[in-house]
Amino acid sequence: MASSSSSNHYDVASGPVEDDLLWMQKSHISQHIWNGANQRTLKIRRATPLYNHREAPPEEIIPLLQVSGLYPIMKLAQLKINGALVNAFIERWRLETHTFHLKCSEATITLQDVSVLLGISVDGRPLTGNTNIDWFELCHELLGVMPDDDAVDGNSLLLSWLTSQFANINDFIGNQQGLERFARAWILRFIGGVMFVDKSSKRVLMRYLQFLRDLRECSTYAWELLFWLWAWERCPTLALSVIPPQQQNAPLAYRWLGGELHHIGNDNLLEFRRKLDVMKRDEFVWVPYAGHVEMNLSQVCFIGSVLWTCIVPLICFQKVEWHQPDRVMRQFGMQQPIPGPVMQPENIHDLTLKEKEGRNWMRLMQPALNEWNSRYERRVEQTPPQTGTLSLNSEYMRWYRRKTKVYVDPKHARRGLLGEIAETLHFMVSPVGRRVCTFDDLLPCIEKITLISEEEDRILEAHQDAPPSQPQFEHQQFNILQRSVETRGLGRRRQTVDATPYSLPPMPEREHGMYYTPPVFTQEPSQMAPMYSYPHDFQPGYSMTGIFGSSPPSGGTPSFTQNNELPTPNAPLGGPWNVPGNIPDMNDLLGVDLHHDFSAEADEVDERGNLRRRNPDRVARNWDRPCGTSSRHHRHSHD
């Protein structure tokens, strides 16, 4: 064991196995974290507008903000951003697909999430237009005041200038036009300080002011949303310790506006990263809005619901990102097929406004606008409902694990290897595995389990004898206070209890029709029916090398023909079998009869006293289970 351990290195696969989908992996932040780079985090910038030292607008303009459709977002902006939670999901955000690549599947923020959580319209005009505008004249028209030259830099405006110009609501009371100007200034401050914050968090782009000319039309634009609310609803294990009850006739996110829920909760990035790395498939809520949640929502949450399952571009001037519900069908309660290619054109993936002042983005983005204008015709076809959790052996999950990076932190990937080892061991004791596996095949699994459990010292360290016991001195007796209860010993006032039994639950029975082969045995039959025929032959090229990057020693390339009929991938097995099954006294370990007379391969003496080589196959081919102690038993074939 020691010599083998020193020569074999078991690489922990970083993923993805196939890089045609996540082609930017080598430049992705998860690659740097895997390689042990220093903490690379996104700094959360925010400049929430204040009035009288409160993060709330004056009551006089609230009706105008409600008309604009932005008031729900402004109320939710009172929540403090959990920077660690945001950064943990950024590490799993993929620009190639515009989805989060979680351990359980792809997931993303859909238009349904925007509607249900925030109660704002998702069906309207794209946020784009002309940037060749006289910004000074636009401010004078819509704000009633001309900004100073020092307050303007290109097409951006200082937030502090807006704050000073619109500091007192009393100066505008009684004047409807003045209240509308105050409301526009407040919305601009909110856009620049919360929604679309630049690196300085001190300026706002004046291009958004043109959309505030008529406040009633603001609700027809598709605005952005707050991200962490989605994470709390979809991943309850990442949310605060207590999830508040839903408010009646209101957007779902309003539940988080309780007086004591404005804190950010856990702010440990390493803890959030660990939770996402080891997240179980039942810890992500695929359909959180069904049932009573849907019944208690405000009707405004259903405006534009026809677009929830449409493949459409989301447009904001130079930014165009495709909304692809076809990649996250389980978020709508439907089965997930293997998705097609991503819709995002690569040449518009990284556009900026630098040195592009005066461009008409409506003309430049006309192809995307054409698709948005035909949005009602771009609904995805419904698939059958998804009942229960998706099997890890499903066609989609096998495809997904080849395409994605499951773990961000390599320390957590070690734990994930146990699942791969379990698959291999279960195959080894299956009816087919017992015929093709050897004791040598067990060695990598044994060593990996030892290394992962960090118990290799129990295997590698030599036995050491303890020194002789020291002679005992005579015990002294104290015959004092014999009538006192204090001399009855330490246990007189202590309650004795037996240890509560602690045991692992039994292994569930295998379902009929399941017949899985781990990647280590790539040439064996699997449950994917179109890929294999039955009865089958094991062809040359059989490889023991798997995702761990190490191959156990082998005596040759096994190849044999199975004459006995095997169950087809989707048919019930010939009989239920448990792992490891009833193996009394280790007499039938992996198909090896340890009480068998192992003379089949030995030389023997004939009747005349001459040595002759005995044909090992003469007896071996008649065994019900070939001996698994040597790989040469796999090289014979049935006559």
Side-chain angles (χ1 to χ4, degrees):
M1 172 70 72
S3 61
S4 176
S5 299
S6 61
S7 60
N8 287 344
H9 294 272
Y10 300 110
D11 297 329
V12 180
S14 63
V17 178
E18 301 170 2
D19 60 0
D20 57 329
L21 181 62
L22 302 184
W23 52 272
M24 297 177 62
Q25 176 58 42
K26 291 186 177 180
S27 60
H28 194 262
I29 183 174
S30 61
Q31 192 87 336
H32 297 283
I33 296 173
W34 180 275
N35 293 341
N38 295 331
Q39 296 293 333
R40 299 162 61 97
T41 58
L42 176 69
K43 183 178 180 181
I44 307 298
R45 294 178 172 87
R46 197 176 191 183
T48 305
L50 302 176
Y51 185 77
N52 290 338
H53 308 288
R54 295 177 61 246
E55 293 184 4
E59 295 183 358
E60 290 80 2
I61 65 170
I62 289 180
L64 294 173
L65 299 178
Q66 291 174 332
V67 169
S68 72
L70 297 177
Y71 187 61
I73 302 181
M74 293 182 180
K75 288 193 64 176
L76 293 169
Q78 300 172 24
L79 292 169
K80 306 303 180 185
I81 297 178
N82 192 322
L85 177 62
V86 173
N87 276 284
F89 272 91
I90 287 176
E91 294 171 358
R92 291 183 169 272
W93 177 257
R94 308 306 306 220
L95 291 174
E96 301 94 332
T97 60
H98 292 141
T99 57
F100 299 105
H101 273 234
L102 305 178
K103 185 179 179 182
C104 58
S105 181
E106 288 184 75
T108 194
I109 302 172
T110 67
L111 295 179
Q112 181 193 37
D113 297 307
V114 179
S115 297
V116 172
L117 289 174
L118 303 180
I120 62 177
S121 173
V122 295
D123 189 3
R125 293 182 293 170
L127 202 63
T128 188
N130 194 0
T131 58
N132 187 17
I133 298 176
D134 189 330
W135 304 116
F136 290 92
E137 289 296 332
L138 184 65
C139 287
H140 185 267
E141 175 191 355
L142 300 181
L143 300 178
V145 60
M146 189 84 72
D148 302 329
D149 292 339
D150 296 339
V152 177
D153 182 12
N155 70 339
S156 65
L157 183 65
L158 279 175
L159 295 175
S160 59
W161 181 86
L162 284 171
T163 304
S164 62
Q165 293 296 320
F166 298 89
N168 192 349
I169 191 63
N170 295 325
D171 297 338
F172 302 89
I173 293 179
N175 184 346
Q176 182 63 24
Q177 185 181 33
L179 290 176
E180 291 181 0
R181 290 171 175 173
F182 197 102
R184 294 189 188 102
W186 186 271
I187 294 174
L188 271 185
R189 292 171 61 189
F190 183 79
I191 292 174
V194 178
M195 294 183 66
F196 304 121
V197 186
D198 67 0
K199 293 182 179 180
S200 69
S201 66
K202 297 179 180 179
R203 295 182 173 273
V204 60
L205 294 174
M206 287 186 287
R207 62 183 180 179
Y208 298 116
L209 182 57
Q210 60 184 300
F211 304 109
L212 305 180
R213 178 173 277 104
D214 187 346
L215 294 177
R216 292 170 298 182
E217 294 186 0
C218 292
S219 60
T220 65
Y221 295 102
W223 295 88
E224 297 291 334
L225 79 160
L226 304 178
F227 151 76
W228 57 96
L229 297 170
W230 175 87
W232 284 349
E233 295 291 344
R234 296 282 181 175
C235 309
T237 58
L238 305 180
L240 305 179
S241 57
V242 178
I243 298 179
Q246 181 182 1
Q247 295 188 18
Q248 297 290 328
N249 196 30
L252 184 58
Y254 278 30
R255 71 162 74 186
W256 301 100
L257 292 178
E260 298 181 358
L261 295 175
H262 288 191
H263 60 84
I264 60 178
N266 180 18
D267 197 26
N268 188 331
L269 173 59
L270 296 181
E271 178 63 15
F272 281 123
R273 183 183 297 159
R274 184 194 68 81
K275 287 185 175 182
L276 290 177
D277 269 353
V278 302
M279 176 182 286
K280 298 180 180 179
R281 53 181 172 171
D282 58 351
E283 292 179 346
F284 186 87
V285 182
W286 289 103
V287 187
Y289 311 136
H292 68 280
V293 174
E294 183 179 7
M295 295 174 57
N296 294 328
L297 290 173
S298 171
Q299 289 301 314
V300 71
C301 297
F302 299 96
I303 299 177
S305 59
V306 67
L307 294 182
W308 290 354
T309 56
C310 290
I311 302 177
V312 292
L314 306 179
I315 306 170
C316 180
F317 286 92
Q318 86 285 2
K319 295 292 184 182
V320 179
E321 296 186 1
W322 258 254
H323 173 256
Q324 286 199 238
D326 60 315
R327 306 192 71 87
V328 292
M329 297 293 284
R330 281 193 287 169
Q331 291 186 218
F332 301 95
M334 294 181 279
Q335 295 181 18
Q336 176 64 58
I338 295 178
V342 295
M343 299 291 296
Q344 183 79 19
E346 185 177 349
N347 63 332
I348 63 171
H349 222 147
D350 199 29
L351 293 178
T352 67
L353 291 177
K354 186 177 181 180
E355 298 179 357
K356 300 181 183 66
E357 296 297 332
R359 297 295 183 94
N360 188 334
W361 290 100
M362 292 188 67
R363 181 178 59 82
L364 294 176
M365 295 299 175
Q366 192 60 48
L369 290 173
N370 293 338
E371 294 197 31
W372 175 259
N373 292 334
S374 60
R375 55 192 178 275
Y376 303 121
E377 304 171 4
R378 303 182 63 82
R379 299 185 66 180
V380 298
E381 295 183 6
Q382 292 190 358
T383 59
Q386 174 67 46
T387 57
T389 56
L390 183 62
S391 169
L392 294 177
N393 291 329
S394 65
E395 184 181 10
Y396 170 79
M397 287 304 299
R398 289 292 170 189
W399 171 86
Y400 178 69
R401 285 207 292 270
R402 294 196 308 269
K403 302 293 183 180
T404 192
K405 180 176 177 62
V406 178
Y407 299 98
V408 174
D409 193 323
K411 295 190 295 292
H412 307 149
R414 288 167 56 95
R415 174 177 174 179
L417 293 183
L418 289 174
E420 304 289 348
I421 296 171
E423 289 177 344
T424 302
L425 293 177
H426 275 264
F427 172 77
M428 286 182 175
V429 295
S430 69
V432 173
R434 295 183 183 213
R435 291 183 171 91
V436 300
C437 298
T438 70
F439 281 150
D440 291 336
D441 300 335
L442 279 173
L443 182 59
C445 293
I446 294 173
E447 292 190 346
K448 291 166 194 170
I449 293 175
T450 305
L451 294 172
I452 293 173
S453 63
E454 299 181 352
E455 296 287 349
E456 58 268 25
D457 294 343
R458 300 175 60 176
I459 308 300
L460 302 178
E461 295 180 358
H463 169 74
Q464 294 181 356
D465 293 328
S469 300
Q470 297 294 327
Q472 298 294 319
F473 295 98
E474 182 179 356
H475 292 280
Q476 301 297 320
Q477 301 294 330
F478 295 85
N479 297 320
I480 61 174
L481 303 176
Q482 296 183 6
R483 296 184 178 180
S484 174
V485 296
E486 296 176 357
T487 60
R488 296 180 183 177
L490 295 175
R492 65 184 179 87
R493 290 185 297 181
R494 290 172 171 82
Q495 181 182 4
T496 60
V497 294
D498 294 329
T500 302
Y502 179 80
S503 60
L504 298 176
M507 184 73 181
E509 295 287 343
R510 286 175 63 98
E511 298 179 5
H512 288 299
M514 291 289 294
Y515 193 76
Y516 168 65
T517 302
V520 180
F521 302 90
T522 56
Q523 297 301 318
E524 301 301 330
S526 87
Q527 64 184 25
M528 300 176 65
M531 297 178 61
Y532 299 93
S533 59
Y534 286 78
H536 62 276
D537 292 354
F538 294 110
Q539 303 296 336
Y542 170 89
S543 173
M544 295 293 294
T545 303
I547 65 171
F548 304 110
S550 179
S551 177
S554 175
T557 302
S559 175
F560 79 96
T561 302
Q562 174 64 44
N563 290 332
N564 297 330
E565 183 178 357
L566 291 178
T568 57
N570 298 317
L573 295 173
W577 49 276
N578 297 322
V579 180
N582 297 324
I583 309 178
D585 301 326
M586 302 296 288
N587 292 336
D588 192 21
L589 180 63
L590 293 181
V592 180
D593 186 356
L594 299 182
H595 293 302
H596 196 281
D597 184 4
F598 287 91
S599 61
E601 294 185 27
D603 294 341
E604 61 183 22
V605 180
D606 60 11
E607 296 177 354
R608 300 180 180 179
N610 298 324
L611 289 174
R612 68 177 183 179
R613 176 70 62 183
R614 181 167 182 166
N615 180 8
D617 291 341
R618 181 176 302 171
V619 176
R621 67 188 179 191
N622 294 325
W623 292 350
D624 292 334
R625 291 175 179 169
C627 176
T629 57
S630 174
S631 59
R632 67 175 295 186
H633 287 108
H634 303 311
R635 293 197 298 270
H636 70 270
S637 60
H638 295 285
D639 294 334

